[in-house]
Every structure is written in structure tokens, then in C-alpha cells.
Amino acid sequence: MQSARDITAAWPEESREAAELVIDARGEPDEATDSLLIWHQAEPWKRIVASKEYYDHQFPAPHIDSVESVLDYRVPADVFTRLANFDGSVVVERTAGEVSARCHDEQANFLALNLMDDIVQGRRSVEDAREYYATEFLGVRKGEPTPYMEGLRFEPGDGSSGDPDTRVISEDELEAAQRTG
């Protein structure tokens, strides 16, 4: 099997550099393809995905997003818009009961997901979360303490955070439709 570094050697510099940060911290991935490296149960994460594809992201300053950190976490549906307004790299998967952040490294993902939790729990507004994100983003470059980048400040879900939604079509209706069609 090819090593992760052999795989990423063919990746663009931006995504290769980001993936190598994860390889240095976590070792070889559990799964690898030509375009993805995946670490499962990489505490505290449910999984980490480093991808060859990367996205330019301007908030709070220009950088690339290519490392996704995933947690079990139930986000109430009425909060989705606030999270989208906070940071487009925070993704909620309602049915799976997952939330993730995609950035350049795990520390930035800690920051985004800690602020996501603050928004969900009502401790911060979207505007306050965006301002705090920028403060820590600059703080790390100044060598100042960045507590939201050091780890999760909340407990992720236990795997039971999925939301399968509510059935609206009965068995009788399905059977009747099948007989009709």
C-alpha cells in the first residue's frame, strides 16, 4: 500500500501541505485514495478527512480549506441559517447527526466548531462569533493564547445525535400507491 506522503506528493501544494500537518500529528490514515485520506476515531473527532481538492476561503482572511474534522453533534434545525451565516466551512448533516468544519488544520477546525457550539447554545451571536474568530486567527500569528484553538470546549455527541426526521407517508399509502402505479 502507498504511504500517505506518496499519495499527497501528486496533490497541489496547498492541500498537500495541509494533509501533511495531519499526517505528522496522526500518522498514516485508516483509508487512502488518490484524492482522500481518512482517519477514523481520531479523538476527539469522529473522523478527519484530508482532500486533494481544496477551496479558497476569505473569512477571516484568505486561506484554503482542505482538512475536514467531523463530530457527532445534533444541531437544531432552527439554528442552521445562523451557522451558515457564521462560517460557510461549518457543515451540518442533520440526518447523520454530524457537524464538521473544513479549514487548513485541526486547530482552525477546533476554533470554528467551538464557536459553532457557542452559537447553538446561545452564548454568542453570529456577529460576536465572527469577531472572536478573527481575534483568535490574529492571536495565533501574534503568539498570543488562543484557547478556542487548543481543543474542544464541549462534549461531542455519542453517536446517537442523528435525526431521521418524521415519517409523513403511511404504509397503507405506500401500498396504495404501488397498487395504483
Side-chain angles (χ1 to χ4, degrees):
M1 182 169 122
Q2 257 188 323
S3 76
R5 289 189 193 281
D6 289 341
I7 291 169
T8 61
W11 290 13
E13 180 181 353
E14 295 87 348
S15 53
R16 181 179 62 249
E17 180 183 290
E20 288 177 355
L21 292 172
V22 183
I23 296 166
D24 290 345
R26 302 290 183 159
E28 287 294 311
D30 298 309
E31 294 181 45
T33 69
D34 290 340
S35 60
L36 293 174
L37 305 176
I38 305 171
W39 292 261
H40 295 283
Q41 304 305 319
E43 294 295 327
W45 312 114
K46 181 176 185 177
R47 70 182 167 278
I48 301 170
V49 180
S51 65
K52 178 179 181 178
E53 186 171 5
Y54 65 91
Y55 304 93
D56 290 320
H57 193 188
Q58 299 298 309
F59 172 74
H63 66 281
I64 62 103
D65 290 351
S66 68
V67 174
E68 182 180 28
S69 301
V70 182
L71 295 172
D72 282 316
Y73 190 98
R74 183 177 284 206
V75 175
D78 64 340
V79 181
F80 284 26
T81 300
R82 280 185 273 163
L83 294 180
N85 287 327
F86 160 59
D87 185 345
S89 294
V90 172
V91 177
V92 179
E93 295 281 351
R94 177 179 167 189
T95 303
E98 295 178 345
V99 66
S100 66
R102 184 183 301 117
C103 203
H104 182 265
D105 56 42
E106 285 185 74
Q107 291 69 34
N109 290 343
F110 280 131
L111 174 58
L113 291 173
N114 282 325
L115 289 167
M116 173 279 309
D117 182 64
D118 281 354
I119 293 167
V120 169
Q121 301 303 324
R123 291 187 295 265
R124 290 186 190 269
S125 67
V126 169
E127 297 76 22
D128 182 47
R130 287 177 64 85
E131 288 173 16
Y132 188 80
Y133 193 115
T135 298
E136 284 223 0
F137 194 91
L138 289 172
V140 77
R141 282 149 183 78
K142 294 177 184 177
E144 297 174 352
T146 53
Y148 272 52
M149 295 179 98
E150 294 170 5
L152 292 178
R153 300 171 61 89
F154 62 93
E155 286 295 318
D158 60 5
S160 64
S161 52
D163 181 358
D165 211 336
T166 304
R167 182 179 190 153
V168 296
I169 301 173
S170 72
E171 249 343 283
D172 290 342
E173 290 172 307
L174 284 173
E175 289 171 9
Q178 189 170 1
R179 284 191 304 273
T180 303

